[in-house]
Amino acid sequence: MPLLTTTTGIVGLPVATNPVDAARWETTRQLVRLLEGDWEEDLRSFMQDHVDASRLASWGPPNQALNLFKSLVLQLACIYDEEPALSNAALDEEGEAFVSRLGIWPRLQQHCIYVVGAYESAVRVEYSADAPDGIELRLVTADHIETESSPGVPALPRLVREARLRTIGRESKWCWDVFDLRGDPPSYRVVTADSRALDVTAEVLGDETASGPYPWVDAGEPYLPWVVYHAIDNGRMWSAGRWHELVQGTLAIALLWTFWMHAVKEASWDQKYAIDLVLQGLQSKGTGTAQRSKVTVDPTALLMFRSREGRGTVGSIGASLDPLAMAQAIIAYQQVVAMHLGVSVSDVTTTASPQSGIAISLSRDGLRKMQRRMFPQFRRGDQALLDIVAKVQANFAPPSMPRLPVGGWSVAHRALPLSREELDAALDRNLKLIEAGVRSRVDLLMEIEPGISREAALEKLKQVRAEEAALASPATPATPATPTSTPLKPAAAGVAAPLPAGVAPTKIALTSTDIATIVTVDEARASQGLPGIGGADGALTVSEYQAKHASVVAAAANAAAGGVST
């Protein structure tokens, strides 16, 4: 089998065993190189295809300051920015703690980058006594895997072949880990990835594993300890080439910024020239290829020229280009390329300053739209992964380890939360709709908490209402005393008659006008932290006081409004 050297420096990475997978691997490897920042050779090759070699030699090194593909993928790979809500009716507290210790969600954050960037990527679930709690989730990109599927279900693999670097004796060799469910019985082998295809299962895994039965079995049925995630569901196993336009655009944009940098350095100023003149006072500076002639200049200095033929000319040629205008044109092209993501123009923003103008970002609302497209695929992948973890644990873990349930998993991914500005706008809009009777508070909660289901939102609102009611209810009153039959004494003038024992006063809603008729001036001033005025006026109610001094109050109000007393 032919071998090749990759740009990442790994020698001997095997070529796929068939032309279709070989082409898919090559495409995927370019995507992975872009994601991992190892794309200089890709850019050089692209530039050589588009620019004459003599021109290209003067441009300097390729400008990799903007990797548009990686920038957009990192923004889109936000499925696990908020930890998903996990539930299973058969999961106890010990199991919950076990899942938490596994660190599944942090590991899947990196995995999500590969899935979104290459449209597929896989997780191999392994049991290892050296791993925390025995379970290791190994990320395997799609350029290391071949699969064969059932003819009727192309997305359901029956064979997985992984290219994996193994240690055999004292030597590291590329091998194929082959998981095959097509035969009866199923098999697992490790063979060398060369033309000999030697079976080295015993050397790698030990004689017991090599001679034993296929170990991954649940309820009598063999399974693959693999989960392949898909960014989209197209009914096929692989979707190589999905990012072709964006990759080509990324390379073209890097070429343009490389030329822009060259133009800024070499052609962004007026070029001075002299005809039939020799500049006096030149000094030789530098050595070898850096040797040059130089003269010191200053605003107060006078440059001396010597004419060769009695007459000479000094002039200048304007700059060959406007760097700002060229940068704006490149930025406009970037926005056009970004449209291939399937987001609207309003969701793509570009920084305006020339210094950081090459940055493109997607709005949070645009990211949430893309999240909603990918949630179903990642939900299926996560639920399948938890099932495989539970099965591998049951097959290999010691009895003392907590057991996870097989089946019954529910994973709810959470969309990006609203920003403060988005939350304020949503509240204002929805409160008006609720007041108009065309929307409910359930709709409001679902908007300000993206990802929550209608049922969960309704339950949360019921809980909020119950808690608010509990906080608002008064403490349980003491058992009232048995009222006596003693007749009430008439109240003195100006004094409220006392209520019978055990009878609570009735709370009456009063307007500010009502209050002014029963609160005295001194009481009102005291409520505002002011001293009373005393005397007969202080004992008057506010309304009585205003009536008594109506002319004075009117004059004060007129003066406060800017009027003139007459």
Side-chain angles (χ1 to χ4, degrees), residues 249-285:
T250 297
L251 296 173
I253 289 166
L255 181 152
L256 292 173
W257 283 117
T258 301
F259 178 65
W260 181 85
M261 183 67 72
H262 162 67
V264 168
K265 293 189 297 181
E266 305 294 342
S268 61
W269 62 86
D270 289 355
Q271 178 64 55
K272 303 298 187 292
Y273 66 86
I275 301 175
D276 291 334
L277 292 173
V278 178
L279 181 62
Q280 303 296 298
L282 289 172
Q283 298 177 344
S284 179
K285 297 289 184 180

mmCIF file of all heavy atoms in Angstrom, residues 249-285:
data_model
loop_
_atom_site.group_PDB
_atom_site.id
_atom_site.type_symbol
_atom_site.label_atom_id
_atom_site.label_comp_id
_atom_site.label_asym_id
_atom_site.label_seq_id
_atom_site.Cartn_x
_atom_site.Cartn_y
_atom_site.Cartn_z
ATOM 1 N N GLY A 249 -12.438 30.411 -1.338
ATOM 2 C CA GLY A 249 -12.516 31.823 -0.981
ATOM 3 C C GLY A 249 -11.494 32.211 0.067
ATOM 4 O O GLY A 249 -10.891 33.299 0.001
ATOM 5 N N THR A 250 -11.257 31.329 1.039
ATOM 6 C CA THR A 250 -10.258 31.604 2.076
ATOM 7 C C THR A 250 -8.866 31.742 1.475
ATOM 8 O O THR A 250 -8.098 32.655 1.824
ATOM 9 C CB THR A 250 -10.269 30.476 3.127
ATOM 10 O OG1 THR A 250 -11.547 30.459 3.770
ATOM 11 C CG2 THR A 250 -9.186 30.665 4.161
ATOM 12 N N LEU A 251 -8.521 30.835 0.559
ATOM 13 C CA LEU A 251 -7.203 30.904 -0.083
ATOM 14 C C LEU A 251 -7.085 32.153 -0.951
ATOM 15 O O LEU A 251 -6.033 32.817 -0.972
ATOM 16 C CB LEU A 251 -6.971 29.640 -0.915
ATOM 17 C CG LEU A 251 -6.914 28.327 -0.121
ATOM 18 C CD1 LEU A 251 -6.855 27.134 -1.068
ATOM 19 C CD2 LEU A 251 -5.713 28.308 0.817
ATOM 20 N N ALA A 252 -8.159 32.503 -1.668
ATOM 21 C CA ALA A 252 -8.131 33.703 -2.511
ATOM 22 C C ALA A 252 -7.978 34.964 -1.665
ATOM 23 O O ALA A 252 -7.233 35.889 -2.021
ATOM 24 C CB ALA A 252 -9.405 33.775 -3.356
ATOM 25 N N ILE A 253 -8.671 35.014 -0.533
ATOM 26 C CA ILE A 253 -8.583 36.182 0.351
ATOM 27 C C ILE A 253 -7.173 36.310 0.929
ATOM 28 O O ILE A 253 -6.619 37.410 1.022
ATOM 29 C CB ILE A 253 -9.630 36.063 1.470
ATOM 30 C CG1 ILE A 253 -11.025 36.276 0.880
ATOM 31 C CG2 ILE A 253 -9.368 37.073 2.580
ATOM 32 C CD1 ILE A 253 -12.149 35.861 1.807
ATOM 33 N N ALA A 254 -6.566 35.173 1.297
ATOM 34 C CA ALA A 254 -5.192 35.216 1.808
ATOM 35 C C ALA A 254 -4.233 35.703 0.726
ATOM 36 O O ALA A 254 -3.282 36.449 1.003
ATOM 37 C CB ALA A 254 -4.777 33.830 2.315
ATOM 38 N N LEU A 255 -4.458 35.274 -0.522
ATOM 39 C CA LEU A 255 -3.642 35.771 -1.640
ATOM 40 C C LEU A 255 -3.783 37.288 -1.772
ATOM 41 O O LEU A 255 -2.790 38.013 -1.917
ATOM 42 C CB LEU A 255 -4.065 35.070 -2.930
ATOM 43 C CG LEU A 255 -3.307 35.439 -4.220
ATOM 44 C CD1 LEU A 255 -3.328 34.254 -5.186
ATOM 45 C CD2 LEU A 255 -3.887 36.657 -4.922
ATOM 46 N N LEU A 256 -5.020 37.790 -1.713
ATOM 47 C CA LEU A 256 -5.252 39.226 -1.855
ATOM 48 C C LEU A 256 -4.609 40.021 -0.722
ATOM 49 O O LEU A 256 -4.027 41.094 -0.953
ATOM 50 C CB LEU A 256 -6.755 39.499 -1.905
ATOM 51 C CG LEU A 256 -7.483 38.993 -3.152
ATOM 52 C CD1 LEU A 256 -8.989 39.182 -3.000
ATOM 53 C CD2 LEU A 256 -6.968 39.694 -4.399
ATOM 54 N N TRP A 257 -4.679 39.515 0.491
ATOM 55 C CA TRP A 257 -4.040 40.230 1.607
ATOM 56 C C TRP A 257 -2.524 40.155 1.505
ATOM 57 O O TRP A 257 -1.820 41.084 1.931
ATOM 58 C CB TRP A 257 -4.518 39.674 2.944
ATOM 59 C CG TRP A 257 -5.891 40.131 3.336
ATOM 60 C CD1 TRP A 257 -6.993 39.358 3.518
ATOM 61 C CD2 TRP A 257 -6.321 41.474 3.559
ATOM 62 N NE1 TRP A 257 -8.084 40.125 3.841
ATOM 63 C CE2 TRP A 257 -7.705 41.440 3.877
ATOM 64 C CE3 TRP A 257 -5.679 42.712 3.519
ATOM 65 C CZ2 TRP A 257 -8.443 42.589 4.158
ATOM 66 C CZ3 TRP A 257 -6.420 43.866 3.804
ATOM 67 C CH2 TRP A 257 -7.774 43.798 4.113
ATOM 68 N N THR A 258 -1.998 39.079 0.939
ATOM 69 C CA THR A 258 -0.550 39.009 0.711
ATOM 70 C C THR A 258 -0.127 40.082 -0.291
ATOM 71 O O THR A 258 0.879 40.782 -0.090
ATOM 72 C CB THR A 258 -0.165 37.611 0.183
ATOM 73 O OG1 THR A 258 -0.560 36.605 1.129
ATOM 74 C CG2 THR A 258 1.342 37.512 -0.045
ATOM 75 N N PHE A 259 -0.894 40.219 -1.378
ATOM 76 C CA PHE A 259 -0.594 41.259 -2.365
ATOM 77 C C PHE A 259 -0.772 42.646 -1.759
ATOM 78 O O PHE A 259 0.000 43.569 -2.030
ATOM 79 C CB PHE A 259 -1.500 41.092 -3.585
ATOM 80 C CG PHE A 259 -1.294 42.156 -4.626
ATOM 81 C CD1 PHE A 259 -0.095 42.266 -5.311
ATOM 82 C CD2 PHE A 259 -2.307 43.071 -4.913
ATOM 83 C CE1 PHE A 259 0.104 43.255 -6.267
ATOM 84 C CE2 PHE A 259 -2.120 44.055 -5.863
ATOM 85 C CZ PHE A 259 -0.907 44.149 -6.544
ATOM 86 N N TRP A 260 -1.795 42.813 -0.942
ATOM 87 C CA TRP A 260 -2.027 44.103 -0.274
ATOM 88 C C TRP A 260 -0.838 44.484 0.591
ATOM 89 O O TRP A 260 -0.383 45.626 0.576
ATOM 90 C CB TRP A 260 -3.300 44.020 0.562
ATOM 91 C CG TRP A 260 -3.660 45.289 1.293
ATOM 92 C CD1 TRP A 260 -4.360 46.349 0.804
ATOM 93 C CD2 TRP A 260 -3.340 45.619 2.648
ATOM 94 N NE1 TRP A 260 -4.498 47.335 1.762
ATOM 95 C CE2 TRP A 260 -3.889 46.898 2.913
ATOM 96 C CE3 TRP A 260 -2.661 44.965 3.666
ATOM 97 C CZ2 TRP A 260 -3.752 47.527 4.150
ATOM 98 C CZ3 TRP A 260 -2.535 45.590 4.906
ATOM 99 C CH2 TRP A 260 -3.071 46.858 5.140
ATOM 100 N N MET A 261 -0.319 43.531 1.358
ATOM 101 C CA MET A 261 0.848 43.802 2.202
ATOM 102 C C MET A 261 2.053 44.185 1.359
ATOM 103 O O MET A 261 2.784 45.137 1.680
ATOM 104 C CB MET A 261 1.163 42.563 3.049
ATOM 105 C CG MET A 261 2.330 42.754 4.018
ATOM 106 S SD MET A 261 1.966 43.929 5.338
ATOM 107 C CE MET A 261 0.824 42.964 6.320
ATOM 108 N N HIS A 262 2.254 43.479 0.255
ATOM 109 C CA HIS A 262 3.362 43.805 -0.663
ATOM 110 C C HIS A 262 3.180 45.212 -1.243
ATOM 111 O O HIS A 262 4.129 46.002 -1.287
ATOM 112 C CB HIS A 262 3.397 42.767 -1.789
ATOM 113 C CG HIS A 262 4.177 43.194 -2.987
ATOM 114 N ND1 HIS A 262 5.558 43.369 -2.970
ATOM 115 C CD2 HIS A 262 3.765 43.483 -4.262
ATOM 116 C CE1 HIS A 262 5.959 43.746 -4.178
ATOM 117 N NE2 HIS A 262 4.890 43.819 -4.968
ATOM 118 N N ALA A 263 1.940 45.549 -1.641
ATOM 119 C CA ALA A 263 1.690 46.857 -2.229
ATOM 120 C C ALA A 263 1.877 47.974 -1.216
ATOM 121 O O ALA A 263 2.411 49.055 -1.548
ATOM 122 C CB ALA A 263 0.268 46.896 -2.798
ATOM 123 N N VAL A 264 1.454 47.757 0.015
ATOM 124 C CA VAL A 264 1.635 48.780 1.054
ATOM 125 C C VAL A 264 3.118 49.037 1.296
ATOM 126 O O VAL A 264 3.563 50.177 1.451
ATOM 127 C CB VAL A 264 0.926 48.351 2.360
ATOM 128 C CG1 VAL A 264 1.351 49.244 3.518
ATOM 129 C CG2 VAL A 264 -0.580 48.394 2.182
ATOM 130 N N LYS A 265 3.886 47.951 1.312
ATOM 131 C CA LYS A 265 5.327 48.100 1.578
ATOM 132 C C LYS A 265 6.087 48.691 0.394
ATOM 133 O O LYS A 265 7.077 49.406 0.576
ATOM 134 C CB LYS A 265 5.935 46.732 1.934
ATOM 135 C CG LYS A 265 5.451 46.162 3.254
ATOM 136 C CD LYS A 265 6.244 44.932 3.647
ATOM 137 C CE LYS A 265 6.074 43.806 2.650
ATOM 138 N NZ LYS A 265 6.825 42.587 3.044
ATOM 139 N N GLU A 266 5.640 48.410 -0.823
ATOM 140 C CA GLU A 266 6.457 48.737 -1.986
ATOM 141 C C GLU A 266 5.869 49.806 -2.914
ATOM 142 O O GLU A 266 6.601 50.361 -3.734
ATOM 143 C CB GLU A 266 6.689 47.458 -2.812
ATOM 144 C CG GLU A 266 7.287 46.300 -2.043
ATOM 145 C CD GLU A 266 8.713 46.575 -1.564
ATOM 146 O OE1 GLU A 266 9.354 47.492 -2.096
ATOM 147 O OE2 GLU A 266 9.165 45.869 -0.646
ATOM 148 N N ALA A 267 4.574 50.105 -2.823
ATOM 149 C CA ALA A 267 3.986 50.975 -3.849
ATOM 150 C C ALA A 267 2.914 51.907 -3.316
ATOM 151 O O ALA A 267 2.001 52.283 -4.046
ATOM 152 C CB ALA A 267 3.399 50.116 -4.965
ATOM 153 N N SER A 268 2.996 52.300 -2.046
ATOM 154 C CA SER A 268 1.942 53.133 -1.474
ATOM 155 C C SER A 268 2.391 54.572 -1.229
ATOM 156 O O SER A 268 1.779 55.284 -0.444
ATOM 157 C CB SER A 268 1.457 52.509 -0.157
ATOM 158 O OG SER A 268 2.524 52.426 0.772
ATOM 159 N N TRP A 269 3.466 55.028 -1.888
ATOM 160 C CA TRP A 269 3.950 56.403 -1.722
ATOM 161 C C TRP A 269 4.336 56.974 -3.090
ATOM 162 O O TRP A 269 4.501 56.242 -4.062
ATOM 163 C CB TRP A 269 5.157 56.434 -0.773
ATOM 164 C CG TRP A 269 6.330 55.665 -1.290
ATOM 165 C CD1 TRP A 269 7.303 56.113 -2.134
ATOM 166 C CD2 TRP A 269 6.657 54.307 -1.012
ATOM 167 N NE1 TRP A 269 8.208 55.128 -2.407
ATOM 168 C CE2 TRP A 269 7.835 53.999 -1.728
ATOM 169 C CE3 TRP A 269 6.062 53.309 -0.222
ATOM 170 C CZ2 TRP A 269 8.435 52.747 -1.680
ATOM 171 C CZ3 TRP A 269 6.674 52.079 -0.183
ATOM 172 C CH2 TRP A 269 7.836 51.798 -0.909
ATOM 173 N N ASP A 270 4.492 58.282 -3.113
ATOM 174 C CA ASP A 270 4.960 58.931 -4.336
ATOM 175 C C ASP A 270 6.426 58.579 -4.565
ATOM 176 O O ASP A 270 7.248 58.648 -3.644
ATOM 177 C CB ASP A 270 4.836 60.458 -4.228
ATOM 178 C CG ASP A 270 3.385 60.911 -4.258
ATOM 179 O OD1 ASP A 270 2.527 60.037 -4.450
ATOM 180 O OD2 ASP A 270 3.129 62.110 -4.067
ATOM 181 N N GLN A 271 6.747 58.187 -5.801
ATOM 182 C CA GLN A 271 8.121 57.815 -6.137
ATOM 183 C C GLN A 271 8.855 59.029 -6.719
ATOM 184 O O GLN A 271 8.448 59.583 -7.731
ATOM 185 C CB GLN A 271 8.131 56.666 -7.144
ATOM 186 C CG GLN A 271 9.519 56.237 -7.580
ATOM 187 C CD GLN A 271 10.317 55.666 -6.419
ATOM 188 O OE1 GLN A 271 9.875 54.734 -5.755
ATOM 189 N NE2 GLN A 271 11.495 56.251 -6.158
ATOM 190 N N LYS A 272 9.929 59.454 -6.046
ATOM 191 C CA LYS A 272 10.739 60.586 -6.532
ATOM 192 C C LYS A 272 11.697 60.101 -7.618
ATOM 193 O O LYS A 272 12.162 58.962 -7.601
ATOM 194 C CB LYS A 272 11.536 61.195 -5.376
ATOM 195 C CG LYS A 272 10.691 61.662 -4.188
ATOM 196 C CD LYS A 272 9.728 62.753 -4.565
ATOM 197 C CE LYS A 272 9.022 63.333 -3.352
ATOM 198 N NZ LYS A 272 8.092 62.386 -2.726
ATOM 199 N N TYR A 273 11.996 61.006 -8.558
ATOM 200 C CA TYR A 273 12.950 60.662 -9.604
ATOM 201 C C TYR A 273 13.737 61.907 -9.999
ATOM 202 O O TYR A 273 13.319 63.049 -9.754
ATOM 203 C CB TYR A 273 12.235 60.078 -10.830
ATOM 204 C CG TYR A 273 11.340 61.059 -11.548
ATOM 205 C CD1 TYR A 273 11.862 61.916 -12.532
ATOM 206 C CD2 TYR A 273 9.984 61.130 -11.264
ATOM 207 C CE1 TYR A 273 11.047 62.825 -13.190
ATOM 208 C CE2 TYR A 273 9.161 62.020 -11.917
ATOM 209 C CZ TYR A 273 9.693 62.870 -12.882
ATOM 210 O OH TYR A 273 8.905 63.769 -13.524
ATOM 211 N N ALA A 274 14.891 61.679 -10.585
ATOM 212 C CA ALA A 274 15.738 62.764 -11.109
ATOM 213 C C ALA A 274 16.253 62.356 -12.486
ATOM 214 O O ALA A 274 16.665 61.209 -12.694
ATOM 215 C CB ALA A 274 16.900 63.025 -10.159
ATOM 216 N N ILE A 275 16.222 63.320 -13.444
ATOM 217 C CA ILE A 275 16.707 63.083 -14.806
ATOM 218 C C ILE A 275 17.929 63.973 -15.041
ATOM 219 O O ILE A 275 17.872 65.183 -14.820
ATOM 220 C CB ILE A 275 15.615 63.409 -15.837
ATOM 221 C CG1 ILE A 275 14.362 62.530 -15.586
ATOM 222 C CG2 ILE A 275 16.131 63.213 -17.255
ATOM 223 C CD1 ILE A 275 13.197 62.870 -16.487
ATOM 224 N N ASP A 276 19.025 63.346 -15.475
ATOM 225 C CA ASP A 276 20.278 64.059 -15.761
ATOM 226 C C ASP A 276 20.796 64.820 -14.555
ATOM 227 O O ASP A 276 21.353 65.912 -14.669
ATOM 228 C CB ASP A 276 20.094 65.033 -16.939
ATOM 229 C CG ASP A 276 19.904 64.286 -18.253
ATOM 230 O OD1 ASP A 276 20.392 63.146 -18.358
ATOM 231 O OD2 ASP A 276 19.238 64.829 -19.150
ATOM 232 N N LEU A 277 20.603 64.270 -13.343
ATOM 233 C CA LEU A 277 21.124 64.883 -12.124
ATOM 234 C C LEU A 277 21.802 63.818 -11.279
ATOM 235 O O LEU A 277 21.398 62.657 -11.278
ATOM 236 C CB LEU A 277 20.003 65.523 -11.309
ATOM 237 C CG LEU A 277 19.318 66.763 -11.911
ATOM 238 C CD1 LEU A 277 18.124 67.164 -11.054
ATOM 239 C CD2 LEU A 277 20.294 67.931 -12.049
ATOM 240 N N VAL A 278 22.838 64.256 -10.554
ATOM 241 C CA VAL A 278 23.555 63.374 -9.629
ATOM 242 C C VAL A 278 23.457 63.992 -8.245
ATOM 243 O O VAL A 278 23.844 65.150 -8.045
ATOM 244 C CB VAL A 278 25.041 63.195 -10.027
ATOM 245 C CG1 VAL A 278 25.750 62.311 -9.003
ATOM 246 C CG2 VAL A 278 25.152 62.599 -11.414
ATOM 247 N N LEU A 279 22.923 63.239 -7.290
ATOM 248 C CA LEU A 279 22.785 63.720 -5.921
ATOM 249 C C LEU A 279 24.147 63.716 -5.237
ATOM 250 O O LEU A 279 24.868 62.717 -5.259
ATOM 251 C CB LEU A 279 21.797 62.839 -5.158
ATOM 252 C CG LEU A 279 21.504 63.213 -3.704
ATOM 253 C CD1 LEU A 279 20.879 64.599 -3.612
ATOM 254 C CD2 LEU A 279 20.560 62.174 -3.079
ATOM 255 N N GLN A 280 24.495 64.842 -4.629
ATOM 256 C CA GLN A 280 25.775 64.976 -3.952
ATOM 257 C C GLN A 280 25.687 64.454 -2.512
ATOM 258 O O GLN A 280 24.616 64.458 -1.890
ATOM 259 C CB GLN A 280 26.196 66.449 -3.932
ATOM 260 C CG GLN A 280 26.298 67.090 -5.318
ATOM 261 C CD GLN A 280 27.378 66.441 -6.144
ATOM 262 O OE1 GLN A 280 28.559 66.480 -5.787
ATOM 263 N NE2 GLN A 280 27.002 65.825 -7.252
ATOM 264 N N GLY A 281 26.815 64.030 -1.979
ATOM 265 C CA GLY A 281 26.894 63.620 -0.575
ATOM 266 C C GLY A 281 26.421 62.224 -0.286
ATOM 267 O O GLY A 281 26.154 61.878 0.886
ATOM 268 N N LEU A 282 26.272 61.377 -1.303
ATOM 269 C CA LEU A 282 25.828 60.004 -1.073
ATOM 270 C C LEU A 282 26.877 59.218 -0.307
ATOM 271 O O LEU A 282 28.078 59.344 -0.557
ATOM 272 C CB LEU A 282 25.526 59.316 -2.401
ATOM 273 C CG LEU A 282 24.279 59.787 -3.156
ATOM 274 C CD1 LEU A 282 24.240 59.152 -4.538
ATOM 275 C CD2 LEU A 282 23.029 59.437 -2.369
ATOM 276 N N GLN A 283 26.425 58.387 0.616
ATOM 277 C CA GLN A 283 27.303 57.519 1.389
ATOM 278 C C GLN A 283 26.868 56.071 1.208
ATOM 279 O O GLN A 283 25.674 55.777 1.114
ATOM 280 C CB GLN A 283 27.258 57.887 2.873
ATOM 281 C CG GLN A 283 27.751 59.305 3.181
ATOM 282 C CD GLN A 283 27.618 59.641 4.654
ATOM 283 O OE1 GLN A 283 26.921 58.975 5.392
ATOM 284 N NE2 GLN A 283 28.324 60.702 5.070
ATOM 285 N N SER A 284 27.813 55.182 1.170
ATOM 286 C CA SER A 284 27.518 53.762 1.007
ATOM 287 C C SER A 284 27.195 53.143 2.363
ATOM 288 O O SER A 284 27.925 53.350 3.342
ATOM 289 C CB SER A 284 28.714 53.048 0.368
ATOM 290 O OG SER A 284 28.435 51.663 0.219
ATOM 291 N N LYS A 285 26.074 52.415 2.417
ATOM 292 C CA LYS A 285 25.652 51.754 3.653
ATOM 293 C C LYS A 285 25.416 50.277 3.370
ATOM 294 O O LYS A 285 24.987 49.886 2.285
ATOM 295 C CB LYS A 285 24.344 52.364 4.174
ATOM 296 C CG LYS A 285 24.452 53.842 4.567
ATOM 297 C CD LYS A 285 25.276 54.027 5.832
ATOM 298 C CE LYS A 285 25.287 55.485 6.274
ATOM 299 N NZ LYS A 285 26.086 55.668 7.510
#
